[in-house]
Amino acid sequence: MAEKKQAKSKIKIVKPLKKEVKQTKELLSDLNSKINNSEVSEKDKRLTLIKTHKKITNLLLKTIPYLLFLFILDVVMLSVITVLFILSAFILDGTAADIVRYILLGVSAFMLAKFTYMNWFSKNLYFKKIIVFKYKSKVDRKKFRAVREISFTPIWFLIFFVASNFYITILVNFEIQQNFVSTGDNKVLIWAILRTTIDMMLLPSFLNSFNKIADKSKAIDANYVKLIKDQYFSNKSLFEDVEFEDNYLNLKFSKNSLTSKNGLFILVNKDDLTRPDQGRMIEINNEILDRYKEIWESYVDLLENRMKAKFNKATVHKLFWLERIYDTIFLDLFEI
């Protein structure tokens, strides 16, 4: 008896997102009560649909503090560059203007190098991520963490990086051309080298950003759309007819002959885990599955209610981005 009690005490779990799950259910309940109420106007129903699912998706999107700090820092540095340019070009003159100009070029060079590095190595990450689930626990006195974070980058964020690069490049070229390039052979040669270097650095960066924007604008993966999204009315019970594969490596959806990607769930190897540990890992996997079920129910609700009313262009645009958040989660889940 003592051994059994000791085995159970080895496992400690912090249940995640309990508050978010409760809020989601309450929001959906309120939404459907209004949607099905004949006394509520169609306009109010449309507004409620948008507001409700915006709140639900905001529960999925979590701010990453250091990424938010970097974004704010970029905005501040761009503001500083703008102020320095105005001072050097229109307000100051003489030695003071030269000093400010050198500071401007130094800060601009740093920002261009930073943006180039971030674009080359895809480090320009949005300051929010989709958190599907997040667990912290202890198994046999060892720390255990299960989390699913998905990067989600809106188009405006990518446009911000492209526009920032473009803006700073114009200021740098203007300052150098206006104040440092003369007809002297040496200065012309230096300028040619600098200009070529800047172009070589920025061209791949711009191309990478443009490609990302193009990818974001493309239709969602064809198989996902045809098998799941466009067939949502036949897939309401998609997560009810599901079972885990051996060792909980992935999910198998019998209705559609679909499987989930490997690595989303916790591998339960019976040869390496004690019975209490196995039981808790299985329990966590079931909780993760329940989390996906809840998100799918929210998404089906949005798709169903979207078809019941006509929306103006602005509202359609908002709906599109709400759907993209859900789409990102399920594109990450399914092996299609």
Side-chain angles (χ1 to χ4, degrees), residues 81-94 96-102 104 167 171 174-175 178-179:
I81 288 172
T82 302
V83 171
L84 291 174
F85 175 73
I86 293 171
L87 289 173
S88 64
F90 304 108
I91 298 176
L92 301 176
D93 55 18
D98 290 338
I99 293 173
V100 171
R101 194 169 290 119
Y102 281 114
L104 168 63
Y167 173 67
L171 294 189
F174 175 83
E175 286 291 342
Q178 184 80 6
N179 301 286

Side-chain angles (χ1 to χ4, degrees), residues 157-173:
F157 188 74
L158 295 173
I159 292 175
F160 167 79
F161 270 90
V162 173
S164 299
N165 273 274
F166 188 68
Y167 173 67
I168 296 174
T169 304
I170 289 174
L171 294 189
V172 169
N173 284 337

Side-chain angles (χ1 to χ4, degrees), residues 9 16 29 50 58 71 99-100 114 122 140 149 154 254 283 298 320 333-334:
S9 66
S29 177
I50 295 293
N58 282 339
F71 175 72
I99 293 173
V100 171
K114 177 178 176 293
S122 299
D140 197 19
E149 295 182 353
S254 302
E283 185 181 344
S298 299
F320 172 79
L333 171 66
F334 291 107

Side-chain angles (χ1 to χ4, degrees), residues 212-230:
K212 286 184 179 178
I213 293 174
D215 289 339
K216 291 286 179 182
S217 300
K218 289 178 182 178
I220 304 162
D221 186 277
N223 288 330
Y224 168 77
V225 171
K226 291 176 181 178
L227 294 173
I228 299 172
K229 185 172 183 178
D230 283 353

Side-chain angles (χ1 to χ4, degrees), residues 14 27 48 50 102 107 117 128 167 193 215 274 311 314 329:
V14 178
L27 287 167
T48 304
I50 295 293
Y102 281 114
V107 176
Y117 167 78
K128 288 187 177 183
Y167 173 67
I193 294 172
D215 289 339
T274 63
F311 301 96
I329 293 171

Side-chain angles (χ1 to χ4, degrees), residues 17 20 23-24 27 50-63 126 128-131 152 291 321-322 325-326 329:
L17 305 175
E20 286 84 345
Q23 285 179 307
T24 299
L27 287 167
I50 295 293
K51 288 179 180 178
T52 299
H53 279 279
K54 192 171 183 181
K55 288 178 182 178
I56 293 173
T57 52
N58 282 339
L59 294 173
L60 291 166
L61 287 169
K62 301 296 181 182
T63 300
Y126 185 47
K128 288 187 177 183
K129 288 187 178 182
I130 299 172
I131 308 294
F152 176 77
R291 180 62 176 155
W321 284 109
L322 290 175
I325 294 172
Y326 288 115
I329 293 171

Side-chain angles (χ1 to χ4, degrees), residues 30-90:
D30 292 341
L31 169 64
N32 286 297
S33 65
K34 287 186 178 180
I35 292 290
N36 297 320
N37 189 343
S38 58
E39 296 180 2
V40 179
S41 67
E42 290 300 318
K43 182 179 179 181
D44 287 340
K45 289 180 181 180
R46 291 194 296 267
L47 290 174
T48 304
L49 176 64
I50 295 293
K51 288 179 180 178
T52 299
H53 279 279
K54 192 171 183 181
K55 288 178 182 178
I56 293 173
T57 52
N58 282 339
L59 294 173
L60 291 166
L61 287 169
K62 301 296 181 182
T63 300
I64 310 301
Y66 83 93
L67 290 177
L68 177 60
F69 171 76
L70 290 177
F71 175 72
I72 293 173
L73 182 63
D74 288 338
V75 174
V76 170
M77 294 296 281
L78 286 170
S79 302
V80 169
I81 288 172
T82 302
V83 171
L84 291 174
F85 175 73
I86 293 171
L87 289 173
S88 64
F90 304 108

